[in-house]
Amino acid sequence: ITVLIIYIIFPYISLEKEEAAFQGNDNIIRFHVIANSDSKPDQELKLEVRDRILEEVGGEFDSCKNIDESRKIIEENLNKIKNIAEDQIKKEGKDYKVGVSLGNDNFPTKTYGDLTLPAGEYEALKVVIGEGKGKNWWCVMFPPLCFVDITHSNASNAEIELKEILTEEEINLLLAEKEP
């Protein structure tokens, strides 16, 4: 029985140590678009809103060299992002309200291409459509990994981008193969 308990508990202890060792949360801004519901039309609408926001605001981040510049751009564009989302929702024939905010929130462990972000508190730009009870789409807004390949959520250049802001140990933790 002791061996069975160790076998069951050890993976959780190991994951907690990895998450505790990762301190890069302060160097990352996540971007989440949360659908009204899990219905197929609401999920499609979420992706339309995401594409429009990234298309119209993405160029603002081209010259960002640090998280403070990215945060300032986000804060200066919160109303624009909300207007873009509302406009796209109207174009799709819906009348959902939109909430847009930049703040800290707790997130579970998530994988984005080869990148795994451990559970923890992260700064995030959140766009909530309607009741916000559907699945979300997410990416890393700083460093600007959202713009690598939004169609396939492929963070192929993640390691290069992350080397500029994280330690080698933190990068290795993020890029290590882990089960979601």
Side-chain angles (χ1 to χ4, degrees):
I1 284 190
T2 304
V3 173
L4 181 61
I5 292 172
I6 291 172
Y7 182 74
I8 292 170
I9 294 175
F10 182 75
Y12 296 105
I13 293 170
S14 177
L15 184 58
E16 285 178 16
K17 284 181 183 176
E18 287 178 356
E19 290 172 359
F22 176 70
Q23 301 298 316
N25 302 33
D26 294 338
N27 294 320
I28 292 175
I29 299 177
R30 295 169 67 145
F31 176 41
H32 287 250
V33 181
I34 304 164
N36 177 63
S37 74
D38 284 334
S39 73
K40 185 172 179 165
D42 282 350
Q43 288 296 310
E44 290 172 357
L45 178 61
K46 168 190 73 180
L47 298 178
E48 293 289 329
V49 168
R50 168 207 67 188
D51 290 349
R52 239 338 255 288
I53 291 169
L54 291 176
E55 182 180 303
E56 293 189 29
V57 182
E60 301 277 337
F61 294 88
D62 288 345
S63 63
C64 284
K65 293 178 178 62
N66 61 55
I67 195 166
D68 293 325
E69 289 178 16
S70 292
R71 187 179 297 116
K72 183 177 178 190
I73 290 169
I74 293 168
E75 289 169 346
E76 290 173 351
N77 284 283
L78 286 174
N79 287 332
K80 179 179 180 178
I81 292 167
K82 182 175 182 174
N83 291 337
I84 292 167
E86 289 173 338
D87 183 61
Q88 188 62 39
I89 289 166
K90 284 180 188 170
K91 281 185 177 181
E92 300 298 324
K94 303 285 185 183
D95 63 350
Y96 297 138
K97 293 179 182 175
V98 176
V100 177
S101 63
L102 176 66
N104 291 332
D105 209 345
N106 284 311
F107 294 97
T109 300
K110 289 286 188 173
T111 299
Y112 176 64
D114 294 335
L115 179 70
T116 298
L117 293 180
E121 187 174 292
Y122 291 86
E123 186 171 10
L125 169 62
K126 293 173 83 171
V127 177
V128 181
I129 301 169
E131 294 183 31
K133 293 185 177 179
K135 292 180 180 131
N136 75 78
W137 175 90
W138 74 279
C139 69
V140 177
M141 191 157 221
F142 183 82
L145 303 180
C146 293
F147 316 112
V148 175
D149 182 353
I150 65 169
T151 306
H152 300 100
S153 296
N154 180 2
S156 58
N157 293 329
E159 189 171 358
I160 295 166
E161 296 286 340
L162 292 172
K163 280 184 178 178
E164 295 180 17
I165 61 166
L166 301 177
T167 67
E168 188 172 336
E169 182 181 359
E170 289 171 333
I171 292 168
N172 290 337
L173 284 171
L174 289 175
L175 296 175
E177 284 192 36
K178 298 177 191 167
E179 292 186 24

